[in-house]
Each structure stands twice: as C-alpha cells, then as structure tokens.
C-alpha cells in the first residue's frame, strides 16, 4: 500500500497485532480490507486525526450536504474558523449536542476517524470492558485516540466490528469475508 514508514513502526505493528486479533480481523481478506481502509483514512498511517484547516472549497467537497451551513460560517468567503466548522457539520450528529463544542471535540480521530459523542462513549465502554486494567476516559479526553497509537488502532478495530452501515453488515468483517471491493 506504499506505507513504508508504517511497516517499520514497531509500536504500530504491535498494536495492530494485538487488536486485530482481539477483534477477529484475522484472515487474509479481513486484514487486507481493514488495512486498506485504515491506510486511506490515516494518510498511509501518518495522520491519526482529522485536519482542522479547511478552505471553503475543501469543506464544500468534504461535506456537500452541509453547503448552506458551511457558506454561513465562511470568513471572507475563503477560510473556515474552528471550532465553528466542525460544530456546524458534526454538531447535531452522532450524539453531539447542538450549541456546544461537541462537533469540534468529537471530530475524527484514530485510524478510521472516530467521530461523534456517541461513538466515543461506546468505544470507551467497549475498551474499558475488554481492558479492565487500562480504564480510559475517551469522552473527556478524546485526543487519546489520536495521540496514543494503541487507541488509534483499537478504536478503528472497534468501529470496524460494530459500526457498519447496514444491519446485515454491522461487523464489517462479514462484508470483507465476501471478498468484495465495493
């Protein structure tokens, strides 16, 4: 996948080995699909958090369904301020509370860009249950998912196995098992 630096990062490799096994991402097809998605969303395993500097044009391409809200907060029609942008595009989604900084606070982090208060809360619960000797508060400290590689990896594994977009494929492993690339 062109991730030369990542293949030499022992901390990343150790976390992938630990959590992929724990979340049953353990066949060639599952691993290939999971790593491909993670490489895409993390810029070849080099960026574990959603960027915060958006031009108006980039924001409109990223969130085309939020055009009105994005245009409303544009500064001089060119740049977008934070936390205004993320509060606007994520503010009422995934359990975020409108009128707060939840959109900004729960922006994408981890290998699969975990977003939203609900996802951070549910990931925290899962992590704490599976790792009782490593209780973490990802809700009050969401940057842990970006700054600690093990949580960037584990959150992606958790998302992969619980948050698929259809009822039939909530666990994306079952979709990967089909061998499809769609």
């Amino acid at each position: 996948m062109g991730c030369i630096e990542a293949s030499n990062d022992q901390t990343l490799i150790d976390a992938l080995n630990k959590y992929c096994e724990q979340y049953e991402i353990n066949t060639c097809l599952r691993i290939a699909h999971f790593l491909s998605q993670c490489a895409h969303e993390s810029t070849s395993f080099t960026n574990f958090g959603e960027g915060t500097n958006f031009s108006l044009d980039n924001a409109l391409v990223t969130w085309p369904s939020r055009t009105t809200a994005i245009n409303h907060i544009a500064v001089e029609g060119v740049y977008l301020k934070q936390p205004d942008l993320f509060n606007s595009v994520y503010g009422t989604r995934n359990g975020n509370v409108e009128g707060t900084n939840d959109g900004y606070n729960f922006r994408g982090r981890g290998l699969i860009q975990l977003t939203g208060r609900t996802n951070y809360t549910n990931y925290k619960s899962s992590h704490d249950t599976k790792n009782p000797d490593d209780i973490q508060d990802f809700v009050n400290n969401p940057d842990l998912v970006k700054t600690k590689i093990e949580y960037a990896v584990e959150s992606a594994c958790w998302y992969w196995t619980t948050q698929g977009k259809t009822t039939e494929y909530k666990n994306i492993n079952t979709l990967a098992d089909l061998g499809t690339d769609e």
Side-chain angles (χ1 to χ4, degrees):
M1 294 181 298
C3 306
I4 304 299
E5 289 180 33
S7 65
N8 293 319
D9 183 337
Q10 194 60 50
T11 304
L12 174 63
I13 300 300
D14 290 345
L16 285 165
N17 284 330
K18 175 182 179 178
Y19 291 112
C20 284
E21 186 63 31
Q22 192 176 77
Y23 286 86
E24 298 181 350
I25 304 168
N26 56 5
T27 67
C28 290
L29 279 172
R30 290 176 180 188
I31 293 166
H33 282 276
F34 178 74
L35 291 177
S36 294
Q37 188 64 39
C38 289
H40 170 74
E41 293 206 28
S42 67
T43 316
S44 298
F45 300 95
T46 62
N47 188 352
F48 305 132
E50 190 168 16
T52 57
N53 295 317
F54 281 85
S55 69
L56 177 59
D57 290 341
N58 286 345
L60 293 172
V61 168
T62 303
W63 297 285
S65 66
R66 303 273 194 254
T67 300
T68 302
I70 291 169
N71 281 320
H72 181 71
I73 61 170
V75 176
E76 298 175 4
V78 180
Y79 294 99
L80 299 158
K81 297 185 307 181
Q82 292 295 0
D84 297 351
L85 174 60
F86 286 135
N87 287 336
S88 176
V89 297
Y90 294 142
T92 59
R93 299 168 63 187
N94 297 324
N96 291 338
V97 178
E98 187 173 14
T100 69
N101 279 335
D102 277 4
Y104 181 76
N105 291 335
F106 299 109
R107 66 191 179 276
R109 294 179 185 87
L111 295 184
I112 298 189
Q113 302 299 314
L114 191 65
T115 58
R117 178 181 282 276
T118 298
N119 283 331
Y120 278 86
T121 300
N122 292 340
Y123 165 55
K124 174 196 177 336
S125 177
S126 175
H127 169 83
D128 290 351
T129 299
K130 288 178 180 269
N131 303 282
D133 294 334
D134 183 37
I135 302 299
Q136 296 296 324
D137 190 350
F138 301 113
V139 176
N140 287 312
N141 193 0
D143 276 335
L144 286 171
V145 177
K146 176 182 177 182
T147 59
K148 301 284 187 179
I149 191 82
E150 62 194 83
Y151 305 136
V153 170
E154 184 192 21
S155 66
C157 292
W158 171 81
Y159 189 92
W160 184 264
T161 58
T162 64
Q163 301 301 303
K165 296 298 181 193
T166 67
T167 303
E168 186 177 2
Y169 299 114
K170 278 294 185 193
N171 183 335
I172 299 171
N173 281 330
T174 57
L175 187 59
D177 290 343
L178 298 176
T180 182
D181 61 356
E182 294 183 25

